[in-house]
């Protein structure tokens, strides 16, 4: 069992509440109201800027070339995601200046600052565990939703689903999962595992709250 698989198994209820949230299900079947998707895009753009900072922090906390390369790869993936949001925002009627100017909602602040605080206070493994629900979870969601595109040729959220189901993001997710094992470097103490399970669980619950705020 990989470290990610262990963390997920220990937080199974919260993981399913995140990856099968009402927002995700309605996005997948095309019934998500456009205003909810627009709200999500605005907040997620701000969210991704903070996650780019967190991945830059991971570069700083890296101790060898392989760690630096993985953190830089994750940073590049995050920047690619922001480009997707800019495209989708424009097509849904959001002006470019709105993306940078929209105030951050409470769940956005809570999640992004939790990840950054975890990274500042802890080591690289703790930071990557806090980032994992986003980096790996979105790939899982993309895979799960992709088959629905064949059932709905004019799917309103096809580009979003295709991006996260695409090989580039799937490969980045696999690298993130493998990197957790590399950072762990072997068996961890019970106390260390318990702490990482807590970090992963908190980040996962914050992901679900981030979806929920778009539906309110």
């Amino acid at each position: 069992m990989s470290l990610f698989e262990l963390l997920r198994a220990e937080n199974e209820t919260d993981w399913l509440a995140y990856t099968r949230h009402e927002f995700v299900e309605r996005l997948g079947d095309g019934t998500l109201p456009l205003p909810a998707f627009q709200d999500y895009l605005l907040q997620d753009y701000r969210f991704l800027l903070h996650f780019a900072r967190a991945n830059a922090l991971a570069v700083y906390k890296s101790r060898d070339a392989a760690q630096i390369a993985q953190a830089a790869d994750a940073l590049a993936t995050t920047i690619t995601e922001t480009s997707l949001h800019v495209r989708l925002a424009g097509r849904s009627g959001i002006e470019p200046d709105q993306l940078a100017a929209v105030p951050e909602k409470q769940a956005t602040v809570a999640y992004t600052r939790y990840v950054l605080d975890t990274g500042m206070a802890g080591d690289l493994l703790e930071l990557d565990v806090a980032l994992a629900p986003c980096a790996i979870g979105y790939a899982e969601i993309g895979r799960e939703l992709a088959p629905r595109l064949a059932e709905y040729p004019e799917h309103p959220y096809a580009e979003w689903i295709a991006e996260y189901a695409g090989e580039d993001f799937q490969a980045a997710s696999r690298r993130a999962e493998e990197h957790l094992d590399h950072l762990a470097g072997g068996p961890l103490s019970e106390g260390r595992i318990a702490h990482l399970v807590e970090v992963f669980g908190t980040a996962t619950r914050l992901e679900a709250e981030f979806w929920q705020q778009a539906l309110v």
Side-chain angles (χ1 to χ4, degrees), residues 4 6-8 23 34 38 59 63 70 89 92 96 112 114 121 144 147 164 172 197 205:
F4 169 74
L6 184 154
L7 296 171
R8 175 181 168 170
F23 182 98
L34 180 59
Q38 290 172 321
V59 173
R63 290 292 179 263
Q70 171 58 29
S92 66
T112 57
Y114 175 75
E144 291 295 319
Y164 292 108
V197 166
R205 289 189 294 275

Side-chain angles (χ1 to χ4, degrees), residues 83-140:
S83 299
L84 169 70
H85 285 53
V86 170
R87 294 197 309 273
L88 292 176
R91 291 171 191 170
S92 66
I94 297 173
E95 297 297 329
D97 57 355
Q98 285 181 266
L99 284 169
V102 65
E104 293 179 75
K105 296 171 87 171
Q106 184 173 338
T108 308
V109 174
Y111 189 7
T112 57
R113 293 349 181 254
Y114 175 75
V115 171
L116 286 165
D117 182 66
T118 298
M120 291 296 292
D123 61 16
L124 183 57
L125 177 57
E126 290 171 64
L127 173 55
D128 276 21
V129 165
L131 289 163
C134 180
I136 302 173
Y138 266 54
E140 179 177 318

Side-chain angles (χ1 to χ4, degrees), residues 66-214:
Q67 291 177 4
I68 291 171
Q70 171 58 29
D73 176 70
L75 176 56
T77 297
T78 303
I79 292 171
T80 297
E81 287 185 75
T82 64
S83 299
L84 169 70
H85 285 53
V86 170
R87 294 197 309 273
L88 292 176
R91 291 171 191 170
S92 66
I94 297 173
E95 297 297 329
D97 57 355
Q98 285 181 266
L99 284 169
V102 65
E104 293 179 75
K105 296 171 87 171
Q106 184 173 338
T108 308
V109 174
Y111 189 7
T112 57
R113 293 349 181 254
Y114 175 75
V115 171
L116 286 165
D117 182 66
T118 298
M120 291 296 292
D123 61 16
L124 183 57
L125 177 57
E126 290 171 64
L127 173 55
D128 276 21
V129 165
L131 289 163
C134 180
I136 302 173
Y138 266 54
E140 179 177 318
I141 290 168
R143 289 195 305 273
E144 291 295 319
L145 297 186
R148 303 190 194 186
L149 296 181
E151 304 166 3
Y152 192 163
E154 300 299 323
H155 199 296
Y157 305 118
E159 187 173 2
W160 189 98
I161 295 171
E163 180 77 15
Y164 292 108
E167 182 52 32
D168 286 348
F169 199 86
Q170 293 295 317
S173 173
R174 291 192 295 270
R175 290 192 295 271
E177 183 172 347
E178 293 166 0
H179 192 57
L180 291 178
D181 289 332
H182 173 75
L183 290 176
L188 300 171
S189 70
E190 290 186 8
R192 178 72 155 155
I193 290 173
H195 176 64
L196 295 176
V197 166
E198 180 182 0
V199 169
F200 185 88
T202 299
T204 299
R205 289 189 294 275
L206 288 167
E207 278 280 11
E209 291 174 13
F210 187 81
W211 293 132
Q212 186 62 37
Q213 75 177 356

